[in-house]
């Protein structure tokens, strides 16, 4: 006799769902008197063996040497810098884990309301230096590794940036996790453990961007902790069959299941024991090898399922966003149920922030769990969902708003598509007629859809567009605009609309951006829901990484001048205003300028070491570092550089000698399929070759494109900048955060009246920024004129026409290769380069004039840094906590089993 299984049951959902407490979710039991029981063995033996956070150099060296011996299996005789980095990182991680354990125990005891930040990207940067700063152990480790024969600066350089993101979206998420821990808020992040990240950027001989895999995990990641006890089965494909008992449930079965395996990354707070968590999911096959296929000689088929499962988290971005959202929700729900609270109280204890539209499938996924697995009626489930989620919009560009083909969702996620249909099914009934939603077009959704809900079991607020039609009777245009399903071939699910409908609150990320969200892409939803659902939280950055860590000399000068410890102002950035009187001190200005000069020299050394190029340091440093995109207008910048070059060439030597010396830096990656953006990189690289080799002008103008942009490269570029460019077409940049980083480090801002540039100018004073270009209200009229009343560039903007003609004429090579890029300007000019070019050149001239007065420039630099207090991510995360999530700070008490009273229910 043996155990057997019915083959028909394979792949079916086992109900009821079991919620198993994982190894990290226990708290001590108590006896009748309320005293806590020690769980196992002798308490004094356990306590004697428990370690605390290292405090002195001897503790540090003992820990590092222990990891050299037992984690790396090496000795002093064969330990290189990379091995020393690994041992030091593991030693620091031990300290993080001590605080992490106490933090999680504290949360488990008090059961506060928690927030979860779902983001497809977390651009964390290097961890070692940041962890030491937040732990307050930088000096101990610096001296400790020195006594072991190593230099901490050399070890820091051995760490690779975690390839978990691409640009500002991921870096913002990283700043918010840092600030959440520093403000002692119970916030976890959830993301994907990409094996290769976006890509490593290489530049070919002809200047073209090439993409190579970025195997950042090839030497393992000492900062992550595999959680083999935390796994979830995630289903794709299959069939979703509705249960005919009127409950609204369905049984989703068949298809493919993959395993989501958790990896935890500790997020330490600054000046606190609080250490929060970033949980990353890796995909693995449920069954890694198909023996039947192998035995039949189908060797590729034997590993096909394994390969398809592994591919989900191989690169940024994956096709199946649901893998990550489903795993995260299963984990969140399991943790909530461990508290013993009833499911109806879920929104009282859980807030989930959607960082842009990528996690939007979490909305139908939570509906699926609540209806199909927790047996809630639709209305109860929808009430929970719409009080749990919060949505941050990061763009008003129509092409950047995510849309998913309906046939794809029906095939890959049949149950989720059913739920989305349910949300909008009344609208489908009114506008698309039953034949368009019948079973012959539902692919794997196996039920004849005849709207039974519109009869006996109708729920008035179940159908979103029914409520819209009731408020705006007969307004079919409005209903079509607000539909979650966009007509076309194929039909598309509008993910931003789904996120809006399914969330309690929606916010933009700068005052202008939030206004545009409310008056353009989501205007109909504002009219319907009311303005109270929509708000603004201007982005912020963590000053720990973006000043103290990347610019330690400036941080030290600030602390000395304000007579404050770093901790006193790094968590209260508005105290930087104390620097304002010192802008009038000649001695202070000299110290400020000397630090800027040394940062330039550091950047020049980096360029020489990595690229073998000599960079002059007696010039203005002009920097633009962003993801390559037409709306960010790197093209405008390079055309301005060419104009400057042609102007210098036209001057006599005596006139040229009066010119302001300038070095221009670009960095950023273009999406592999974004042809125009890649052409822009190619043009920058080839213009640099010509300019830097010209003996007549290279004393006054140099140009560099620094490949493979990363957080670590930004930490070298930003402190060295005198001026940074944030020149997007007005109304297209949601906020920007690099503008904040440059200004915090005393770099002045050249930009359009767009995004957070506006709020920065309001804080630092418009006399300390350089604005140019048309304003947002004029943009659409200008585009209309381009289409219907075009004016030749030679007539409209002769200076720009000359630049374009020089490129077309082959001054920078290419043999016509740049014509597609140039034609985007000559024909249509959607991003208004022809309209803004003259204003841009005039603004650059104002920058030159201001920079020649060095003393006044330094004053502007000091005043800019002093007024950046508003742009701390600590401020931003507290706004989310108070005005959106309704969560409170939960400080970690001393002692691993310190008793605490439960927190009151939020």
């Amino acid at each position: 006799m043996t155990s057997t299984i019915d083959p028909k049951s394979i792949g079916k959902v086992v109900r009821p769902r079991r919620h198993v407490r994982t190894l990290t979710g226990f708290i001590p039991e108590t006896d009748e008197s309320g005293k806590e029981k020690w769980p196992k063995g002798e308490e004094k033996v356990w306590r004697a063996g428990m370690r605390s956070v290292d405090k002195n150099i001897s503790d540090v060296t003992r820990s590092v040497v222990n990891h050299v011996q037992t984690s790396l299996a090496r000795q002093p005789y064969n330990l290189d810098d990379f091995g020393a980095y690994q041992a030091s990182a593991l030693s620091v991680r031990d300290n993080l884990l001590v605080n992490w354990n106490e933090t999680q125990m504290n949360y488990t005891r008090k059961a506060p309301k928690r927030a979860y930040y779902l983001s497809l990207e977390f651009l964390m940067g290097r961890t070692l230096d940041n962890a030491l700063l937040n732990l307050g152990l930088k000096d101990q480790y610096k001296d400790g590794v020195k006594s072991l024969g190593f230099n901490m600066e050399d070890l820091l350089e051995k760490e690779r940036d975690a390839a978990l993101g691409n640009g500002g979206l991921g870096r913002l998420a990283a700043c918010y996790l840092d600030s959440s821990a520093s403000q002692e808020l119970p916030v976890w992040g959830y993301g994907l453990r990409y094996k290769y990240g976006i890509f490593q950027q290489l530049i070919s001989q002809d200047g073209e961007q090439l993409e190579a895999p970025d195997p950042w995990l090839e030497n393992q990641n000492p900062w992550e902790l595999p959680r083999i006890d935390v796994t979830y089965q995630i289903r794709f494909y299959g069939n979703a069959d509705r249960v005919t008992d009127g409950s609204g449930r369905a049984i989703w079965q068949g298809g493919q299941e993959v395993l989501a395996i958790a990896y935890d990354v500790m997020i330490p707070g600054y000046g606190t024991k609080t250490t929060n968590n970033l949980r990353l999911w890796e995909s693995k096959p449920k069954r890694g090898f198909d023996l039947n296929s192998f035995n039949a000689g189908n060797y590729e088929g034997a590993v096909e399922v394994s390969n398809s499962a592994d591919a989900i988290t191989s690169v940024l971005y994956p096709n199946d966003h649901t893998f990550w959202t489903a795993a995260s929700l299963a984990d969140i729900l399991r943790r909530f149920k461990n508290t013993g609270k009833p499911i109806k109280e879920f929104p009282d204890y859980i807030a989930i922030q959607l960082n842009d539209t990528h996690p939007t499938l979490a909305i139908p996924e939570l509906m699926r769990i609540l209806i199909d697995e927790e047996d809630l009626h639709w209305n109860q489930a929808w009430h929970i969902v719409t009080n749990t989620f919060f949505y941050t919009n990061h763009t008003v560009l129509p092409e950047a708003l995510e849309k998913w083909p309906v046939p794809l969702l029906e095939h890959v996620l049949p149950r989720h598509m059913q739920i989305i249909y349910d949300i909008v099914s009344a609208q489908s009934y009114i506008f698309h007629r039953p034949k368009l939603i019948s079973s012959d077009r539902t692919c794997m959704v196996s039920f004849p859809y005849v709207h039974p809900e519109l009869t006996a079991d109708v729920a008035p607020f179940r159908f979103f567009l029914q409520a819209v039609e009731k408020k705006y009777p007969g307004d079919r245009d409005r209903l079509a605009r607000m539909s979650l399903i966009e007509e076309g071939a194929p039909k598309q699910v509008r993910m931003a609309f789904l996120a809006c409908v399914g969330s309690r609150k929606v916010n933009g990320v700068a005052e202008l951006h939030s206004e545009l969200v409310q008056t353009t892409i989501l205007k109909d939803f504002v009219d319907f829901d009311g303005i109270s659902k929509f708000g603004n939280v201007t982005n912020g950055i963590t000053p720990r990484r973006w000043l103290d860590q990347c610019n330690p000399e400036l941080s030290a000068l600030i602390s000395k001048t304000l007579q404050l410890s770093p901790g006193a102002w790094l968590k209260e950035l508005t105290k930087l205003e104390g620097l304002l009187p010192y802008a009038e001190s000649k001695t202070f200005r000299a110290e400020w300028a000397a630090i800027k000069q040394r940062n330039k020299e550091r950047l020049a050394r980096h360029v020489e070491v990595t690229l073998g190029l000599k960079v002059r340091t007696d010039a203005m440093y002009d920097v633009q570092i962003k993801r390559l995109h037409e709306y960010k207008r790197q093209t405008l910048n390079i055309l301005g550089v060419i104009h400057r070059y042609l102007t210098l060439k036209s001057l006599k030597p005596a006139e040229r000698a009066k010119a302001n010396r300038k070095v221009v830096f670009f960095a950023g990656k273009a999406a592999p399929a974004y042809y125009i953006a890649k052409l822009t990189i190619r043009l920058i690289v080839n213009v640099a070759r010509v300019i830097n080799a010209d003996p007549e002008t290279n004393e006054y103008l140099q140009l560099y494109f620094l490949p493979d942009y990363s957080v670590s490269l930004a930490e070298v570029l930003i402190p060295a900048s005198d001026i940074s460019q944030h020149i997007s077409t007005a109304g297209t940049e949601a906020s920007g955060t690099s503008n904040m980083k440059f200004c915090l480090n005393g770099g002045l801002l050249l930009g359009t009246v767009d995004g957070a540039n506006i709020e920065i100018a309001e804080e630092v004073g418009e006399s300390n920024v350089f604005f140019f270009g048309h304003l947002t209200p004029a943009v659409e009229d200008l585009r209309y004129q381009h289409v219907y009343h075009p004016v030749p560039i030679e007539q409209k903007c002769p200076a720009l026409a000359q630049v374009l003609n020089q490129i077309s004429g082959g001054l920078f090579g290419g043999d016509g290769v740049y014509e597609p890029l140039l034609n985007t300007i000559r024909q249509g000019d959607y991003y208004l380069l022809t309209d803004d070019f003259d204003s841009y050149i005039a603004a650059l001239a104002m920058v030159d004039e201001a920079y020649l007065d060095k003393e006044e420039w330094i004053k502007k630099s000091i005043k800019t840094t002093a007024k950046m207090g508003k742009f701390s991510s600590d401020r931003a995360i507290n706004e989310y906590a108070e005005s959106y999530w309704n969560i409170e700070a939960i400080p970690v008490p001393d002692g691993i089993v310190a008793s605490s009273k439960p927190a009151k229910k939020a």
Side-chain angles (χ1 to χ4, degrees):
M1 193 66 183
T2 185
S3 61
T4 62
I5 186 170
D6 181 356
K8 295 180 180 179
S9 69
I10 297 175
K12 288 191 175 181
V13 176
V14 179
R15 306 183 71 254
R17 181 187 179 97
R18 290 195 312 121
H19 292 268
V20 180
R21 187 182 298 272
T22 69
L23 301 179
T24 59
F26 288 102
I27 57 174
E29 296 180 356
T30 56
D31 59 22
E32 294 179 355
S33 66
K35 182 180 178 181
E36 292 178 349
K37 299 178 182 178
W38 192 257
K40 290 181 180 178
E42 299 180 29
E43 180 177 354
K44 65 178 181 179
V45 176
W46 274 98
R47 289 191 177 278
M50 286 181 173
R51 62 162 293 167
S52 59
V53 174
D54 294 330
K55 299 295 185 184
N56 53 54
I57 296 173
S58 62
D59 292 337
V60 167
T61 54
R62 185 181 304 109
S63 174
V64 172
V65 170
N66 175 66
H67 280 292
V68 170
Q69 288 182 293
T70 61
S71 299
L72 306 183
R74 298 175 79 169
Q75 302 180 56
Y77 309 103
N78 63 353
L79 188 67
D80 56 8
D81 281 351
F82 181 71
Y85 155 71
Q86 287 181 305
S88 299
L90 290 169
S91 170
V92 174
R93 191 188 75 167
D94 288 346
N95 289 303
L96 296 180
L97 282 170
V98 171
N99 286 342
W100 188 94
N101 273 320
E102 293 202 28
T103 302
Q104 307 321 309
M105 176 72 79
N106 189 46
Y107 292 161
T108 302
R109 287 177 180 281
K110 294 186 176 180
K113 184 174 185 180
R114 298 187 183 209
Y116 297 97
Y117 198 85
L118 270 59
S119 179
L120 198 58
E121 300 183 31
F122 287 94
L123 201 59
M124 305 303 292
R126 292 171 174 169
T127 299
L128 177 55
D129 199 34
N130 183 254
L132 290 173
L133 170 66
N134 286 5
L135 284 167
L137 293 174
K138 290 188 77 166
D139 290 339
Q140 291 90 326
Y141 270 82
K142 180 179 178 181
D143 294 341
V145 299
K146 181 179 180 181
S147 68
L148 295 174
F150 296 93
N151 183 287
M152 179 56 77
E153 293 299 320
D154 295 334
L155 303 193
L156 294 175
E157 288 298 316
K158 294 298 177 182
E159 182 175 358
R160 294 185 66 162
D161 281 45
L164 298 173
N166 177 23
L169 185 81
R171 186 52 236 171
L172 179 72
C175 284
Y176 282 172
L177 290 189
D178 179 281
S179 286
S180 295
S182 298
Q183 297 298 308
E184 300 179 321
L185 296 169
V187 178
W188 274 30
Y190 279 102
L192 284 169
R193 184 180 182 261
Y194 303 109
K195 296 178 183 177
Y196 297 106
I198 180 167
F199 58 82
Q200 181 184 5
Q201 183 189 52
L202 305 172
I203 304 298
S204 70
Q205 288 294 319
D206 60 8
E208 184 179 0
Q209 171 184 287
L210 303 176
E211 299 88 28
D214 181 13
W216 71 286
L217 290 170
E218 63 183 354
N219 292 312
Q220 297 185 326
N221 177 14
W223 302 108
E224 66 185 11
L225 188 68
R227 289 292 189 187
I228 59 173
D229 60 310
V230 182
T231 62
Y232 299 97
Q233 297 177 18
I234 311 300
R235 187 180 304 279
F236 298 95
Y237 314 111
N239 300 282
D241 301 311
R242 284 189 184 266
V243 178
T244 58
D245 59 1
S247 65
R249 286 199 304 110
I251 296 176
W252 183 18
Q253 58 191 358
Q256 177 187 1
E257 286 183 309
V258 300
L259 289 180
I261 301 174
Y263 287 76
D264 286 347
V265 179
M266 286 63 70
I267 307 295
Y270 177 78
T272 174
K273 292 175 67 176
T274 298
T275 302
N276 285 337
N277 198 50
L278 168 59
R279 178 155 286 178
L280 303 173
W281 300 106
E282 181 178 60
S283 57
K284 290 289 185 183
K286 183 177 178 182
R287 292 177 177 86
F289 190 78
D290 184 349
L291 188 59
N292 290 333
S293 295
F294 181 82
N295 290 338
N298 183 4
Y299 306 121
E300 291 183 358
V303 296
E304 180 180 0
V305 172
S306 176
N307 291 340
S308 64
D310 287 339
I312 293 174
T313 52
S314 289
V315 295
L316 180 77
Y317 289 87
N319 290 326
D320 298 312
H321 291 24
T322 188
F323 168 82
W324 146 62
T325 55
S328 301
L329 283 172
D331 199 48
I332 292 167
L333 192 65
R334 185 265 312 161
R335 190 174 301 108
F336 168 77
K337 296 198 79 172
N338 284 344
T339 67
K341 303 291 190 298
I343 195 68
K344 66 180 181 180
E345 296 183 10
F346 191 78
D348 296 328
Y349 289 90
I350 303 295
I352 300 175
Q353 186 71 42
L354 306 177
N355 191 28
D356 215 356
T357 53
H358 311 123
T360 303
L361 282 173
I363 291 171
E365 170 64 11
L366 183 55
M367 285 294 293
R368 184 193 69 78
I369 294 172
L370 295 175
I371 295 171
D372 295 351
E373 299 181 13
E374 300 298 331
D375 290 330
L376 296 186
H377 290 293
W378 176 281
N379 297 347
Q380 295 172 305
W382 189 242
H383 175 78
I384 290 172
V385 166
T386 53
N387 283 280
T388 296
F389 287 104
F390 300 82
Y391 163 48
T392 298
N393 174 278
H394 284 276
T395 184
V396 294
L397 296 178
E399 69 270 21
L401 294 173
E402 250 191 328
K403 298 174 185 177
W404 282 37
V406 167
L408 174 65
L409 278 174
E410 287 176 327
H411 179 56
V412 178
L413 302 170
R415 179 55 178 145
H416 296 71
M417 197 62 236
Q418 278 184 345
I419 291 169
I420 293 170
Y421 280 145
D422 282 353
I423 297 172
V424 298
S425 57
Q427 165 250 323
S428 298
Y429 180 79
I430 294 168
F431 295 103
H432 309 315
R433 299 183 300 277
K435 68 177 184 179
L436 294 182
I437 53 172
S438 61
S439 59
D440 63 351
R441 84 162 185 88
T442 55
C443 191
M444 303 299 287
V445 184
S446 56
F447 63 96
Y449 206 106
V450 294
H451 294 285
E453 296 86 354
L454 295 179
T455 55
D457 298 323
V458 66
F461 55 93
R462 174 170 178 176
F463 302 115
F464 167 64
L465 286 188
Q466 275 188 329
V468 176
E469 208 280 335
K470 183 176 181 180
K471 187 171 184 178
Y472 304 100
D475 192 343
R476 292 177 175 241
D477 288 341
R478 180 185 295 270
L479 286 169
R481 292 196 307 268
M482 297 179 73
S483 169
L484 304 191
I485 308 295
E486 179 180 87
E487 291 300 311
K491 292 177 172 60
Q492 306 269 348
V493 178
R494 294 162 164 163
M495 303 308 284
F497 289 8
L498 178 58
C500 179
V501 169
S503 294
R504 181 172 180 176
K505 284 192 174 184
V506 178
N507 72 280
V509 291
E511 289 176 2
L512 174 62
H513 169 245
S514 296
E515 180 184 335
L516 289 172
V517 168
Q518 295 166 23
T519 56
T520 58
I521 59 171
L522 297 182
K523 180 182 184 302
D524 290 321
F525 294 88
V526 175
D527 294 341
F528 176 72
D529 289 311
I531 193 64
S532 61
K533 180 174 177 175
F534 299 84
N536 172 67
V537 180
T538 298
N539 284 345
I541 59 173
T542 168
R544 272 81 66 180
R545 181 179 290 272
W546 294 112
L547 181 51
D548 190 81
Q549 184 176 327
C550 73
N551 202 345
E553 283 195 78
L554 186 61
S555 178
L557 176 63
I558 291 170
S559 296
K560 181 185 76 171
T561 303
L562 297 180
Q563 298 183 340
L564 294 171
S565 67
W569 59 270
L570 285 174
K571 291 178 77 170
E572 289 187 53
L573 203 59
T574 54
K575 290 187 176 181
L576 288 178
E577 290 192 23
L579 295 173
L580 288 172
Y582 294 92
E584 304 304 321
S585 166
K586 189 173 182 179
T587 301
F588 183 75
R589 291 200 303 270
E591 290 184 90
W592 190 276
I595 291 170
K596 179 65 73 175
Q597 181 62 31
R598 287 192 288 274
N599 285 328
K600 290 182 180 180
E601 292 165 0
R602 179 176 65 159
L603 173 57
R605 285 195 301 272
H606 174 83
V607 173
E608 185 173 9
V609 169
T610 57
L611 301 180
L613 302 173
K614 279 281 198 181
V615 181
R616 67 182 316 122
T617 59
D618 60 343
M620 169 192 283
Y621 277 19
D622 181 333
V623 184
Q624 187 181 21
I625 47 175
K626 295 177 182 290
R627 173 173 56 91
L628 267 289
H629 197 288
E630 289 169 275
Y631 87 84
K632 294 180 181 289
R633 299 206 295 191
Q634 286 94 344
T635 306
L636 178 62
N637 190 346
I638 189 57
L639 295 177
V641 172
I642 296 171
H643 179 271
R644 187 183 191 91
Y645 172 64
L646 296 175
T647 301
L648 286 170
K649 289 285 286 184
S650 70
L651 296 176
K652 295 179 180 179
E655 296 173 319
R656 200 179 295 143
K658 300 176 184 178
N660 180 36
R661 291 183 173 89
K662 179 186 276 193
V663 181
V664 180
F665 295 93
F666 286 87
K669 296 179 180 181
Y674 197 166
Y675 180 62
I676 296 299
K678 294 177 77 169
L679 270 184
T680 304
I681 291 176
R682 183 169 180 168
L683 179 60
I684 294 168
V685 172
N686 286 300
V687 170
R689 286 172 175 162
V690 172
I691 289 177
N692 296 346
D694 192 327
E696 291 184 348
T697 60
N698 60 14
E699 182 181 349
Y700 306 101
L701 179 62
Q702 292 182 338
L703 172 63
Y704 299 93
F705 183 87
L706 306 187
D708 209 29
Y709 178 59
S710 65
V711 173
S712 296
L713 179 55
E715 290 173 1
V716 180
L717 276 162
I718 288 170
S721 76
D722 294 301
I723 191 83
S724 62
Q725 300 205 26
H726 310 274
I727 56 178
S728 55
T729 307
T732 60
E733 184 70 82
S735 170
T737 54
S738 64
N739 45 8
M740 303 170 189
K741 296 162 192 169
F742 281 106
C743 290
L744 183 60
N745 283 271
L748 302 193
L749 185 152
L750 169 66
T752 47
V753 184
D754 196 26
N757 290 354
I758 301 169
E759 292 166 69
I760 290 174
E762 291 172 351
E763 293 295 311
V764 308
E766 289 194 19
S767 61
N768 296 316
V769 300
F770 301 89
F771 276 144
F772 74 93
H774 287 82
L775 303 181
T776 301
V779 169
E780 289 306 316
D781 287 340
L782 289 169
R783 287 172 174 162
Y784 178 88
Q785 294 297 324
H786 292 178
V787 175
Y788 296 104
H789 305 286
V791 177
I793 294 181
E794 288 76 12
Q795 178 182 339
K796 182 178 183 180
C797 187
L800 178 58
Q802 181 192 14
V803 171
L804 300 183
N805 290 337
Q806 289 291 335
I807 299 170
S808 294
L811 179 59
F812 307 105
D815 193 23
V817 72
Y818 302 116
E819 290 308 302
L821 170 62
L822 303 183
N823 286 339
T824 65
I825 304 168
R826 291 172 173 146
Q827 302 167 11
D829 188 23
Y830 187 78
Y831 295 104
L832 310 188
L833 276 71
T834 57
D835 300 282
D836 286 351
F837 188 79
D838 287 340
S839 175
Y840 176 60
I841 296 302
L844 289 171
M846 293 174 60
V847 171
D848 286 331
E849 182 181 357
Y851 188 75
L852 291 173
D853 186 345
K854 292 296 196 296
E855 290 300 316
E856 282 302 312
W857 184 273
I858 296 168
K859 287 182 183 180
K860 290 177 181 289
S861 174
I862 295 167
K863 292 175 181 178
T864 296
T865 296
K867 295 295 290 183
M868 289 301 291
K870 171 182 176 178
F871 302 101
S872 169
S873 53
D874 294 348
R875 181 270 313 159
I877 207 67
N878 279 321
E879 284 188 35
Y880 280 111
E882 295 169 10
S883 301
Y884 290 76
W885 307 332
N886 190 28
I887 63 172
E888 299 177 352
I890 308 293
V892 180
D894 292 327
I896 194 167
V897 291
S899 297
S900 304
K901 294 181 179 179
K904 64 179 181 179
K905 187 174 78 172

